[in-house]
Amino acid sequence: MIQNMEDTSPAPANLAELDLAELEAAFASRGLPRFRARQVFAWIYRRGVTDIDAMTDLPRDLRASLSAAFTIETPAVASRERSSDGTEKFLLRLSDSKQIEAVFIPDTPAMTFCISTQVGCAMACAFCLTGKMGLVRNLTAGEIAGQVRVLADAVGLREKTFNIVLMGMGEPLHNYDAVMKAMRILCNEHGFALPARRVTLSTVGLLPALEKLGAEPLMPNLAISLHAPTDQQRGELVPINRKYGVADIIDACKRFPVRKRSRITFEYVMLAGVNDAPVDARRLARLLAGVKAKVNLIPLNAAAGIPFDRPADTVVDEFARILAERDITVSVRKSRGRDIRAACGQLIVEGQQRSPAQRLATMAFS
Ligand code: SAH
C-alpha cells in the first residue's frame, strides 16, 4: 500500500471554535496556566485582536509557540451594503468559501446585529427566501460568534452595548449545540460579556429543542415564528408544523420559564388574503390567552419567487387593533433595509451549490 507521505501533522486548531473552558483545557494540556487562556480570550473578544503575535502581554516565545500551534479564524467580509435607513447588510465568506449574511440594524432603539446560524435553512417556509436555498450546512459556534466580532468591529461597537437577534439565515434550534456554545462564547465575562437577555432566539418551534432550551443556564429571549392561528393554515406556510403543531407549541410556551417582566414574542408574517383576516386575529388572541406573549406583526417583505403579497397597511392596522382590544401587546415590525434585501426573509446567497431539486423548486417560483 502506498502511504501518503505528505505532511501528516494535525491542522492547527482554530481557537475561535473554543469556549473559555475549552481554551483553558487546550492551554492546560500544553502546561499553560488558566490566566493565559483568559488573556487570549480577552484579546479575541474584548479587544478584537486575532493576530497572536500582537497579543503583547504574552511573552514573545509563548506567542511564537501559540502561533505555530493555533489559528484564529474570522469570517471575511465579501461585501457590505448600506440601506438608506442605515441598516447594513454584510455578505461574509467562511473558510470553505460558503457565504452567509449578517445584518446591522441601528437604533431600534438599541443597536442590533441579526446573525445567521446556518448556511441556508431546511425549514422551507413558504414565504422565506432563505428557505429556498435548502440547508447547505450548519454554522460552527466560532462562525456564529465570529459574525458578532466582524460586525462589532465594522460598525465600531466592540466597546458598546448591542443586542443580538438570531434571525438571520437558518433555524437556530436545528443547530442547537453550536448556537448554545456561541452563547457561552459571547456571554462570557472575559469577552463580550453580553447579557443573555440581550440575545433573542427566533424559532419555528422545534419542540424537543425548545424544551431543552428552557433548562439552559444561559437563556436567550424567545421568539416563535407562528404566522397562523390554526394547524391548517400554519401547515401550508411552515411545513414543520405537520410534526410540531400549534397546540403543542403553545403548551410548550406556557411551560417555558420566561424571565420576570419578559414575554415570548410571537412573530406573525402577514400575507394578503392568507392569514390577515379579522377572524385570524380573533383566533390568535384566543390562542395566546394565558401565554406571556407579545405579538410582532411582520407585513410580508415581498420578493421575486415568493408567491404571496403584502397586505395593505389598513389591514395590518385593523389586525393589530383587534389584538390590542383583547389586551395583547402588539407591534408592527418596520422592516429595515428592504432596499438592499436585508429585511426578514430576504437573506439568500446566490450561487451556492444547490441540488437539482432545489434548483427546480427555485425556478418554479421565478
Ligand atoms: N428560522 C427562524 C429564524 C429566522 S427569523 C425562524 O423562522 O424564526 C426570520 C423571521 O423573518 C421569521 O419570523 C420569519 O418567519 C420571518 N420571515 C421570513 N420570510 C419573510 C418575509 N418574506 N417577509 C417578512 N418576514 C419574513
Side-chain angles (χ1 to χ4, degrees), residues 262-279:
S262 179
R263 291 158 200 256
I264 298 174
T265 302
F266 288 85
E267 295 159 288
Y268 195 103
V269 173
M270 296 198 68
L271 310 167
V274 175
N275 64 357
D276 63 345
V279 63

Side-chain angles (χ1 to χ4, degrees), residues 90-107:
F90 292 79
L91 181 66
L92 304 178
R93 192 179 323 101
L94 308 171
S95 49
D96 64 352
S97 294
K98 298 268 186 292
Q99 304 196 103
I100 51 168
E101 290 178 330
V103 182
F104 167 58
I105 312 157
D107 311 314

Side-chain angles (χ1 to χ4, degrees), residues 66-320:
L66 290 178
S67 296
F70 298 111
T71 61
I72 300 172
E73 286 179 33
T74 306
V77 178
S79 72
R80 176 174 177 175
E81 268 179 286
R82 195 185 162 93
S83 158
S84 53
D85 65 20
T87 300
E88 290 192 65
K89 179 167 87 170
F90 292 79
L91 181 66
L92 304 178
R93 192 179 323 101
L94 308 171
S95 49
D96 64 352
S97 294
K98 298 268 186 292
Q99 304 196 103
I100 51 168
E101 290 178 330
V103 182
F104 167 58
I105 312 157
D107 311 314
T108 54
M111 302 294 178
T112 301
F113 299 140
C114 175
I115 65 176
S116 295
T117 55
Q118 297 179 312
V119 184
C121 184
M123 297 298 119
C125 298
F127 46 79
C128 180
L129 271 185
T130 307
K132 303 252 170 284
M133 293 174 66
L135 177 62
V136 179
R137 72 165 171 85
N138 277 331
L139 294 186
T140 63
E143 289 167 339
I144 297 169
Q147 293 168 68
V148 179
R149 285 193 280 124
V150 172
L151 267 61
D153 279 343
V155 303
L157 277 182
R158 187 169 288 271
E159 312 277 316
K160 307 240 170 68
T161 310
F162 52 80
N163 292 343
I164 291 177
V165 293
L166 300 176
M167 298 188 185
M169 301 168 77
E171 166 50 49
L173 293 188
H174 194 208
N175 186 16
Y176 192 91
D177 292 343
V179 167
M180 288 305 138
K181 185 168 171 183
M183 288 282 295
R184 288 197 295 280
I185 293 174
L186 295 169
C187 299
N188 190 284
E189 57 173 329
H190 299 284
F192 279 114
L194 183 75
R197 67 183 154 74
R198 289 203 168 272
V199 182
T200 299
L201 183 153
S202 177
T203 176
V204 291
L206 305 183
L207 280 184
L210 191 57
E211 305 279 356
K212 218 163 123 186
L213 185 69
E216 288 288 341
L218 276 179
M219 207 172 48
N221 297 314
L222 185 60
I224 300 280
S225 285
L226 192 64
H227 309 318
T230 65
D231 281 327
Q232 200 185 4
Q233 286 164 300
R234 191 169 190 264
E236 296 288 317
L237 302 174
V238 182
I240 196 77
N241 191 76
R242 289 166 212 156
K243 190 159 180 193
Y244 306 119
V246 172
D248 290 339
I249 291 177
I250 298 296
D251 272 354
C253 288
K254 285 183 178 159
R255 290 194 304 273
F256 199 82
V258 181
R259 263 187 212 91
K260 271 204 192 104
R261 287 191 293 279
S262 179
R263 291 158 200 256
I264 298 174
T265 302
F266 288 85
E267 295 159 288
Y268 195 103
V269 173
M270 296 198 68
L271 310 167
V274 175
N275 64 357
D276 63 345
V279 63
D280 298 318
R282 290 193 291 272
R283 282 194 180 123
L284 180 61
R286 274 201 298 278
L287 188 66
L288 296 181
V291 185
K292 281 179 87 180
K294 59 183 172 189
V295 171
N296 192 206
L297 300 176
I298 316 173
L300 176 76
N301 292 310
I306 299 295
F308 298 101
D309 297 314
R310 181 187 182 94
D313 289 351
T314 49
V315 173
V316 177
D317 290 347
E318 174 62 6
F319 198 98

